[in-house]
């Protein structure tokens, strides 16, 4: 892989502007000033914690954009704790899932892994099963079977969480290129624009929906214990 190809792979939409002299117009739905970085509560402090995977549209093992997020709900705030976002093969994406599963376990958390239903879902589960056989254990992935409205409409509906200051991003991940890709997708999002990828946005919307459903199932918002010595935003 040449240096230029590597940078294009890592930079995503910004690469078009940098390398192909193709100016990108930033969207007006999600404003940069709404983005808040903050210190994350301990994973053990989260009663509601979810991993959500958007595997993209896949009908082969070729590289496509995908996203996996780890999101927690604590004191009625949504915390983006860790994210994988960008181009990846199916096996690389499954590798993300194992890396995230390890991250959750090492940090004392427990989080189910939900995956958006995609075309040829059964073939994708076979890929997960093949990797599980190789590693000796499986990640707890299950399908999100809800009948979803239009993608852009669902993404736009989450803007209020950001505008009200209800979303915080892990400040320790600030320099992670996966997080940078995720942020780019938000700031360049425009309804109807198919040139800018939306996997990160779709995964985060899915995580919020799953967390809210967990709260409803539990009978209302729960306020987890707070470590008084930590600075939570």
């Amino acid at each position: 892989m040449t240096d230029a190809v590597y940078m294009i792979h890592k930079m995503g939409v910004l690469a078009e502007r940098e390398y192909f002299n193709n100016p990108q117009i930033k969207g007006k739905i999600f404003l940069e000033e709404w983005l808040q970085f903050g210190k994350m509560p301990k994973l053990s402090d989260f009663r509601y914690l979810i991993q959500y995977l958007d595997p993209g549209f896949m009908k082969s093992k070729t590289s496509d954009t995908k996203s996996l997020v780890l999101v927690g709900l604590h004191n009625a705030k949504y915390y983006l704790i860790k994210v994988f976002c960008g181009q990846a093969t199916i096996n690389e994406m499954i590798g993300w899932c194992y890396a995230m599963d390890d991250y959750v376990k090492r940090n004392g958390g427990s989080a189910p892994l939900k995956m958006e239903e995609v075309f040829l879902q059964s073939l994708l589960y076979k890929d997960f099963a093949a990797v599980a056989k190789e590693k000796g254990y499986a990640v707890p992935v299950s399908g999100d079977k809800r009948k979803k409205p239009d993608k852009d409409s669902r993404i736009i509906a989450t803007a209020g969480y950001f505008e009200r200051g209800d979303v915080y991003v892990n400040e320790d991940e600030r320099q992670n290129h996966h997080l940078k890709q995720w942020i780019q997708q938000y700031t360049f999002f425009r309804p109807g624009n198919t040139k800018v990828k939306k996997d990160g946005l779709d995964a985060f919307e899915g995580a919020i929906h799953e967390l809210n459903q967990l709260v409803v199932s539990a009978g209302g918002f729960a306020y987890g214990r707070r470590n008084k010595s930590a600075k939570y935003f």
Side-chain angles (χ1 to χ4, degrees):
M1 181 181 294
T2 66
D3 291 342
V5 172
Y6 174 81
M7 290 305 297
I8 291 168
H9 177 83
K10 295 301 180 187
M11 292 173 65
V13 65
L14 292 185
E16 291 193 37
R17 183 173 65 188
E18 184 72 18
Y19 291 97
F20 299 117
N21 193 27
N22 181 17
Q24 295 287 336
I25 301 174
K26 287 194 175 183
K28 298 181 180 179
I29 304 298
F30 297 92
L31 305 183
E32 287 188 47
E33 54 263 35
W34 293 349
L35 185 65
Q36 302 179 108
F37 287 91
K39 183 177 177 62
M40 300 289 103
K42 296 178 181 178
L43 294 194
S44 58
D45 284 344
F46 287 100
R47 179 176 178 183
Y48 303 113
L49 194 64
I50 193 81
Q51 303 174 67
Y52 197 96
L53 174 66
D54 184 340
F57 176 78
M58 296 170 297
K59 55 183 178 182
S60 70
K61 292 184 182 292
T62 56
S63 182
D64 195 4
T65 57
K66 304 162 178 60
S67 186
L68 170 67
V69 296
L70 174 64
V71 184
L73 178 60
H74 183 80
N75 288 354
K77 301 293 182 182
Y78 300 90
Y79 291 84
L80 178 70
I81 302 163
K82 193 168 182 63
V83 58
F84 291 93
C85 185
Q87 286 187 315
T89 64
I90 293 175
N91 281 343
E92 287 171 338
M93 179 197 73
I94 295 174
W96 292 352
C97 296
Y98 277 88
M100 190 76 87
D101 184 67
D102 179 66
Y103 175 86
V104 172
K105 291 176 180 176
R106 282 189 291 105
N107 287 279
S110 178
L113 171 58
K114 300 293 290 188
M115 179 174 66
E116 181 176 7
E117 290 283 350
V118 294
F119 183 60
L120 297 179
Q121 184 86 9
S122 60
L123 293 181
L124 186 54
Y125 278 125
K126 289 181 180 179
D127 288 306
F128 271 97
V131 174
K133 185 175 181 180
E134 176 184 331
K135 289 185 174 291
Y137 73 100
V139 290
V141 59
S142 61
D144 177 6
K145 302 184 185 302
R146 93 176 133 130
K147 188 174 181 180
K148 293 187 175 183
D150 170 73
K151 178 182 289 190
D152 283 352
S153 298
R154 288 187 288 105
I155 291 171
I156 291 170
T158 66
Y161 294 109
F162 290 86
E163 186 176 11
R164 293 194 305 271
D166 291 334
V167 176
Y168 288 93
V169 179
N170 191 349
E171 62 183 11
D172 293 335
E173 296 285 309
R174 191 187 290 261
Q175 298 305 318
N176 189 321
H177 70 85
H178 288 284
L179 177 59
K180 290 180 179 180
Q181 290 267 22
W182 185 84
I183 292 171
Q184 285 174 22
Q185 289 188 9
Y186 269 100
T187 55
F188 284 90
F189 171 76
R190 285 180 291 157
N193 184 351
T194 58
K195 293 183 179 180
V196 177
K197 301 300 182 181
K198 306 171 185 178
D199 306 88
L201 292 70
D202 207 9
F204 190 69
E205 186 277 333
I208 287 180
H209 175 82
E210 290 293 327
L211 289 169
N212 290 347
Q213 289 299 111
L214 288 173
V215 172
V216 171
S217 298
F221 277 93
Y223 295 88
R225 70 181 188 275
R226 179 182 286 269
N227 183 344
K228 294 181 180 179
S229 64
K231 182 181 180 183
Y232 295 160
F233 287 73

